[in-house]
Amino acid sequence: MSLNNGTTTHPPPSAANANGGADNENMAFKIFVGYDPSEDIAFQVCRHSILKRSSIPVEIIPIIQSDLRKKGLYWRERGKVESTEFSFSRFLTPHLANFQGWAMFVDCDFLYLADIKELRDLIDDKYAIMCVQHDYAPKETTKMDGAVQTVYPRKNWSSMVLYNCGHPKNKVLTPETVNTQTGAFLHRFQWLDDAEIGSVPFVWNFLEGHNKVVENDPTTLPKAIHYTRGGPWFEAWKNCEFADLWVNEMQEYLKETKKEIVN
């Protein structure tokens, strides 16, 4: 299962009547997804889960490190604590969106269970970025396929971010900055004041193994599951919480892909 390089655009029939959220509501909402060759299937399933449920036009763009290097946009060496190829390249999102409008970045290890329009409609132009503001300190020392689990303030805030790409403060996120600044500066959003960071309900970045569904409380039901410790595509995590939902989505994706190839 290899990556189909380039973008994926999905303009559903109802898109022309979509309301709210972004200024140019009839234009495709740009979603940049972190891509790592070792987790290709995670990317494919994440993309499938977004497209399947979206009632607005979306453009899904993989952030592929090798492509960025060829274009001269990314040149920093990979550090020992970088568990994926997009640990730092994610912060190029505003630049890749030409510093215009709102765009989203999300890790590939997400499974969307709700219409992305609901998330886009939460956008508030007074903020430079919006994200789920987790209070998260993982207990595990390793994650995924043995990668080191690091602990730092605002951990997982940067795993799904709505970027106000045209906000003056975000114009600091040039390739030069992304390639030279520290992990603390980038992952903790130190180019922003706290008041410029908007909050999104935790159900849009529901951390498997950390967040919990409260019985009889529908506001705690996940809209996007984040398999941050490792997902079912890794042997060690095939029995993680919500593994069945991901596997079902994967099987549906594979079935549809096979059908497309046959046709």
Side-chain angles (χ1 to χ4, degrees), residues 62-102:
I63 291 185
I64 306 172
Q65 188 182 121
S66 58
D67 288 354
L68 296 174
R69 289 186 182 278
K70 290 175 185 175
K71 295 174 182 176
L73 298 176
Y74 194 77
W75 58 85
R76 75 186 292 159
E77 293 183 13
R78 184 165 178 171
K80 294 180 180 179
V81 297
E82 292 179 47
S83 58
T84 66
E85 287 197 358
F86 50 87
S87 293
F88 288 101
S89 58
R90 70 185 66 214
F91 298 104
L92 287 170
T93 294
H95 176 87
L96 295 173
N98 298 314
F99 296 105
Q100 295 177 349
W102 282 82

Side-chain angles (χ1 to χ4, degrees), residues 6-12 28-29 47 51 56-61:
T7 64
T8 300
T9 304
H10 174 67
F29 181 48
R47 174 170 65 177
L51 295 177
I56 59 172
V58 295
E59 183 180 5
I60 296 180
I61 306 154

Side-chain angles (χ1 to χ4, degrees), residues 156-199:
N156 270 313
W157 287 30
S158 64
S159 58
M160 191 195 78
V161 182
L162 293 165
Y163 282 96
N164 186 353
C165 300
H167 192 284
K169 286 283 192 75
N170 287 332
K171 291 184 178 178
V172 73
L173 295 177
T174 61
E176 179 69 24
T177 298
V178 172
N179 281 281
T180 59
Q181 269 292 354
T182 65
F185 178 86
L186 294 168
H187 284 281
R188 300 179 200 173
F189 309 124
Q190 290 181 347
W191 70 92
L192 300 173
D193 296 328
D194 288 355
E196 294 166 328
I197 304 174
S199 182

